[in-house]
Amino acid sequence: MGSKIVSDANAFVKFLKLCQDENKENCTYMDDISVLLVEKEELLHNIIGGNQPIFVCEKAQPKCEPEDTETTADTSVVEETLFKVEQDLGPQPLSVMKARQLLSWYTMAQNPNMPQVEAPGTLHPLWVRCDKLDPCATAWLGVETVYSGSKTSGVKLYTVSCKGPTGDETSFTTLDELKQEHEKRHHASTVATKGYAQYNLFCSLKEESMMFESQSSVIASLTWNNVEKVLECPPLSSKASLNIKVAVGDIRSPLYQTYKEMEFLLALAEGLRTGETEWLEPMETQSAVDLTRALIEELENFGQGAPGHTAKASEKQKAKTDAIAAFSSMVIERGDLDFTEQLWEKMRKSVTSYQDITECMKIVVKAVKLGKIKPWIHKDSNSTLSKLILQSYQQQIDAMPLTGLTPANMLLELGLDKIRKDFINYLVGKELTTLNYLRYYLDTEEDLQEQVIRVRKLHHLLEILGTCSTFLSLPHDRLFLFTQSCLQYYKTSNYDEDHVFQLQIKPALISYFYEKEQPFSWATEVSSGQGSKEVKTALYLSDKPLVDHISFDLDVPLDESVNGESEKMSYYRTMVSCSLISFT
């Protein structure tokens, strides 16, 4: 073997080993090759399984040479010119020939039968971006080491080829062709097949209300064995899971009114935290002060607010709740609002300044102190105003200086109290959890800002449950388990609307949504062998390219309409093949 080939192989694998040992995320080899150390295989879009770090080789980004400049008095202009760097072009591929050379160096170093190339020890898998200019349209080449015990026994070589989108199913690789390709490479007597499909269940709705983009998504992922044809619908024997991501504030949500309530609570809490408050547009035409006075007068007219004074209000509330129930099976609002909760409802819809809050609180506290009202409140109310009202029953009222931010904090307490009761009413009332499981979220010993954070997490949980119960109509046992999982997650995690919650489910419960739909991602793999010697040949069909460094010619739109009645999805086609090279 040529001495140059050996020296080049040694130099390359030593460089990889150095990058790996020093955990360098981005290095340049021979000035024209960037070597990235990627912790997760996100760049490969889950084409290859596993979660180990990998090396990714690509063409190094070109930089502009310093331009020759004449000496001028304006040195800043010269410095700008000298440090000008060409704009990032994104990941750039190497030629297939160069990629094969890099993989051959890696393979030589792993081969114990080639002692002239120094073995570097264990190396992460190596993947190289390719320019797709060869006849096979190769987009990636990869290699990983195969071990037998602790000894190197061979390598697996991967080839990823891809083609642009088409809706013509006759151009897809058939299952028989995929099996033939696998058997040609591996001479396997028996093969196994496995299918994968993903559906966006929100897209299965055709109502006009769904015809705009949503930040929420419900993705059904299904896997099954014994595939019979490409793009087949998953059988009911499949394993299925729902991947649910819900963004609050969707006007179609059954909790949209609760979202508006939370929006005011969060704005008030943020204002108290930062000193700058962005007041929301009032939902009432009357001022907060006038609404508060009207509430006080109403209580005075109903027998000093004795228990039962809320009968009329409760009837109104019940009628409102019944009206909401006609449009949604998930009702959060209650019909037993006490005085402090009614006050919160009126103030959150009308206050536009801290002065409004202060004036309203002064009116209420004065009426309580003078004994004009003795309103009914829930016995477990925890707000400062509730405690003041309880004291008024005994005619022992503490001094209450309504100065500074005290009134605003009192209002925040009212909102927290009311919203917590709403959430308890639904979660415990529907037997989705118990008060014990909610203890973390209901702890009033924490400071107000932390209480707001925890209530906000509960709101997000309820938005997720709203999607599962009203949109998917999931049965109670699934909702119960899912609720416990979400509650456990948010005990230790920050609020995150981008988090994807997962729920295992029987396909029969969601088949209505996907059986007549086209998957946005479908794949099948043909496999043979076992353990480290298992090899696979796979076909991926996807509505988005699985390769991010290649441009495709879009000769057809991704959605083809036939007479405006049906849509035929176009798929990018990606094939992954694997070769096992044994050293023994």
Side-chain angles (χ1 to χ4, degrees):
M1 181 179 291
S3 59
K4 185 175 188 320
I5 295 177
V6 172
S7 63
D8 287 347
N10 278 322
F12 181 63
V13 295
K14 283 182 180 178
F15 178 82
L16 291 182
K17 183 64 173 173
L18 179 65
C19 293
Q20 179 172 309
D21 291 344
E22 296 184 1
N23 201 31
K24 293 183 177 180
E25 295 183 355
N26 192 343
C27 304
T28 302
Y29 182 72
M30 298 294 287
D31 295 328
D32 61 347
I33 299 175
S34 285
V35 180
L36 311 177
L37 183 57
V38 182
E39 288 299 322
K40 293 183 178 180
E41 299 175 4
E42 295 171 353
L43 291 176
L44 299 175
H45 293 271
N46 298 318
I47 291 176
I48 303 299
N51 204 28
Q52 62 177 318
I54 61 171
F55 290 115
V56 172
C57 288
E58 58 189 41
K59 184 183 290 186
Q61 293 285 356
K63 295 183 179 180
C64 286
E65 296 294 329
E67 298 177 1
D68 293 330
T69 57
E70 297 180 3
T71 304
T72 65
D74 190 353
T75 58
S76 63
V77 175
V78 177
E79 290 174 358
E80 283 183 25
T81 305
L82 289 174
F83 287 99
K84 185 175 68 176
V85 178
E86 189 169 298
Q87 185 178 2
D88 188 355
L89 300 175
Q92 297 295 302
L94 298 167
S95 68
V96 174
M97 183 178 294
K98 186 64 177 178
R100 293 191 186 282
Q101 183 182 55
L102 297 178
L103 264 63
S104 68
W105 291 343
Y106 183 102
T107 303
M108 290 162 58
Q110 298 298 315
N111 192 343
N113 301 316
M114 301 184 68
Q116 60 270 48
V117 180
E118 298 176 15
T122 304
L123 278 179
H124 298 318
L126 173 68
W127 284 82
V128 186
R129 296 182 188 272
C130 300
D131 57 17
K132 195 175 161 284
L133 297 180
D134 62 315
C136 296
T138 303
W140 285 96
L141 287 176
V143 58
E144 67 176 346
T145 309
V146 176
Y147 297 94
S148 178
S150 59
K151 295 183 178 180
T152 302
S153 62
V155 293
K156 286 182 182 179
L157 299 175
Y158 296 93
T159 301
V160 179
S161 59
C162 55
K163 297 180 181 179
T166 179
D168 181 9
E169 294 187 16
T170 61
S171 67
F172 296 167
T173 301
T174 66
L175 186 61
D176 285 339
E177 290 171 341
L178 198 66
K179 289 180 178 179
Q180 290 170 13
E181 174 69 20
H182 184 86
E183 290 166 1
K184 182 175 68 175
R185 285 175 174 269
H186 306 293
H187 309 289
S189 57
T190 59
V191 297
T193 57
K194 192 170 186 177
Y196 306 84
Q198 287 188 307
Y199 297 83
N200 187 345
L201 300 192
F202 271 176
C203 289
S204 66
L205 292 185
K206 303 300 183 184
E207 286 85 349
E208 184 179 347
S209 63
M210 296 298 292
M211 299 306 290
F212 61 89
E213 186 176 355
S214 173
Q215 298 303 311
S216 302
S217 64
V218 179
I219 305 298
S221 298
L222 300 101
T223 62
W224 67 100
N225 297 320
N226 303 319
V227 179
E228 296 182 359
K229 66 176 183 178
V230 171
L231 275 182
E232 73 179 13
C233 184
L236 293 180
S237 58
S238 304
K239 291 183 178 179
S241 64
L242 293 176
N243 299 290
I244 303 168
K245 185 180 77 169
V246 174
V248 302
D250 192 326
I251 196 170
R252 298 163 297 177
S253 167
L255 283 172
Y256 183 70
Q257 293 305 317
T258 303
Y259 159 75
K260 298 299 292 182
E261 186 172 3
M262 281 296 303
E263 187 180 29
F264 179 84
L265 183 87
L266 294 173
L268 181 60
E270 184 69 7
L272 288 169
R273 188 179 68 85
T274 64
E276 297 181 5
T277 304
E278 294 186 13
W279 300 101
L280 304 181
E281 191 71 23
M283 301 166 66
E284 296 281 359
T285 55
Q286 285 184 275
S287 70
V289 171
D290 287 344
L291 288 172
T292 302
R293 284 191 177 125
L295 178 61
I296 298 297
E297 290 173 3
E298 183 180 358
L299 292 181
E300 288 179 314
N301 293 334
F302 277 93
Q304 300 299 317
H309 80 278
T310 56
K312 185 175 180 181
S314 294
E315 288 175 9
K316 290 181 180 180
Q317 186 68 29
K318 185 178 185 304
K320 182 180 178 182
T321 301
D322 290 342
I324 294 172
F327 297 97
S328 168
S329 61
M330 186 176 183
V331 178
I332 298 296
E333 295 192 49
R334 295 175 287 116
D336 63 340
L337 300 187
D338 69 8
F339 168 72
T340 60
E341 292 168 328
Q342 292 179 55
L343 179 64
W344 158 258
E345 280 292 302
K346 292 185 181 299
M347 290 184 67
R348 76 172 179 87
K349 296 176 181 179
S350 57
V351 298
T352 58
S353 67
Y354 285 113
Q355 184 177 355
D356 279 352
I357 299 174
T358 301
E359 289 300 316
C360 290
M361 287 300 176
K362 285 181 177 178
I363 292 170
V364 173
V365 170
K366 181 179 180 180
V368 171
K369 284 186 174 181
L370 294 178
K372 291 183 178 180
I373 59 171
K374 293 187 181 297
W376 168 74
I377 58 172
H378 291 294
K379 63 180 180 180
D380 56 350
S381 294
N382 198 62
S383 66
T384 301
L385 182 59
S386 296
K387 293 174 181 176
L388 190 71
I389 292 171
L390 285 175
Q391 290 175 358
S392 73
Y393 295 167
Q394 312 298 326
Q395 297 183 340
Q396 297 176 347
I397 301 177
D398 294 336
M400 179 63 64
L402 297 175
T403 57
L405 296 177
T406 298
N409 278 308
M410 290 172 66
L411 181 60
L412 185 61
E413 290 176 347
L414 298 187
L416 285 167
D417 240 14
K418 191 264 182 183
I419 293 172
R420 272 194 292 255
K421 286 186 177 66
D422 288 345
F423 294 171
I424 292 170
N425 182 64
Y426 182 82
L427 291 169
V428 177
K430 293 290 185 181
E431 298 183 348
L432 294 174
T433 190
T434 65
L435 283 173
N436 188 48
Y437 274 96
L438 291 174
R439 186 179 302 167
Y440 164 83
Y441 299 94
L442 307 179
D443 188 356
T444 57
E445 297 300 319
E446 298 287 340
D447 65 67
L448 287 179
Q449 293 295 331
E450 177 60 26
Q451 290 182 46
V452 170
I453 291 171
R454 297 185 184 187
V455 166
R456 190 185 187 199
K457 291 178 180 181
L458 268 187
H459 172 232
H460 190 214
L461 165 61
L462 281 160
E463 289 276 8
I464 296 168
L465 291 177
T467 298
C468 293
S469 61
T470 62
F471 169 59
L472 298 174
S473 300
L474 296 185
H476 182 269
D477 63 327
R478 292 291 89 194
L479 290 175
F480 176 82
L481 293 174
F482 190 45
T483 302
Q484 309 317 307
S485 173
C486 295
L487 287 172
Q488 191 61 38
Y489 169 80
Y490 262 148
K491 279 185 179 180
T492 56
S493 302
N494 293 329
Y495 181 86
D496 182 9
E497 290 184 25
D498 290 326
H499 179 73
V500 178
F501 293 87
Q502 192 171 81
L503 173 64
Q504 301 300 315
I505 196 166
K506 294 178 180 179
L509 295 175
I510 55 172
S511 60
Y512 167 80
F513 294 95
Y514 70 77
E515 59 188 4
K516 295 181 181 180
E517 295 298 320
Q518 300 172 87
F520 70 84
S521 175
W522 192 96
T524 185
E525 62 182 30
V526 179
S527 62
S528 60
Q530 294 181 340
S532 62
K533 294 186 177 181
E534 183 185 40
V535 286
K536 301 177 181 179
T537 305
L539 171 68
Y540 295 83
L541 303 174
S542 55
D543 66 341
K544 294 180 176 63
L546 301 185
V547 177
D548 60 0
H549 60 272
I550 298 293
S551 59
F552 296 89
D553 294 328
L554 302 179
D555 296 329
V556 295
L558 293 187
D559 291 320
E560 298 175 339
S561 295
V562 181
N563 298 326
E565 295 179 358
S566 62
E567 292 182 345
K568 190 174 185 180
M569 185 172 290
S570 294
Y571 292 104
Y572 291 86
R573 296 151 291 165
T574 305
M575 183 174 289
V576 181
S577 55
C578 170
S579 297
L580 177 61
I581 310 299
S582 178
F583 297 149
T584 57

